[in-house]
Amino acid sequence: MATTVVSHSGGRFVLDAGAKTLTKDVPAVLTGFGALPHYPQAAIERVYDHHAIVNPGGGGRPAIGEIVAVVPNHVCPVVDLAATTVIVKDGEIVDRWRVDAHNRSG
């Protein structure tokens, strides 16, 4: 999923995605609430309803306003909440897919 860096604080950065989309699932084999492929040393340490706190772990820290990719630990809430999936290849949007499972959790 794509999320935006909204703040820097105490060496960490804040994303505008939180427990509502990333969930609070952290399997024993994983660290954090999702992975940031372009920031592999980073760990999503805490999630609130709509925000996440990320420790860069010695890696770089993206700029405020930068859109970053996050691979969530549990994809079901993402699919339920998203009406459209944007397909990106080599940094370019190549297609958009309608999500048939959107808003079908209840």
Side-chain angles (χ1 to χ4, degrees), residues 1-79:
M1 63 182 285
T3 182
T4 304
V5 177
V6 295
S7 178
H8 289 161
S9 179
R12 290 167 170 69
F13 58 97
V14 180
L15 302 175
D16 68 351
K20 299 283 186 179
T21 51
L22 296 174
T23 77
K24 292 186 177 182
D25 294 345
V26 182
V29 298
L30 298 176
T31 300
F33 296 92
L36 286 79
H38 298 288
Y39 297 91
Q41 295 177 339
I44 301 173
E45 294 182 326
R46 287 179 295 221
V47 289
Y48 302 94
D49 284 350
H50 301 285
H51 295 92
I53 309 298
V54 183
N55 182 335
R61 189 169 70 167
I64 294 173
E66 185 175 333
I67 297 172
V68 297
V70 175
V71 178
N73 293 344
H74 186 170
V75 74
C76 295
V78 177
V79 172

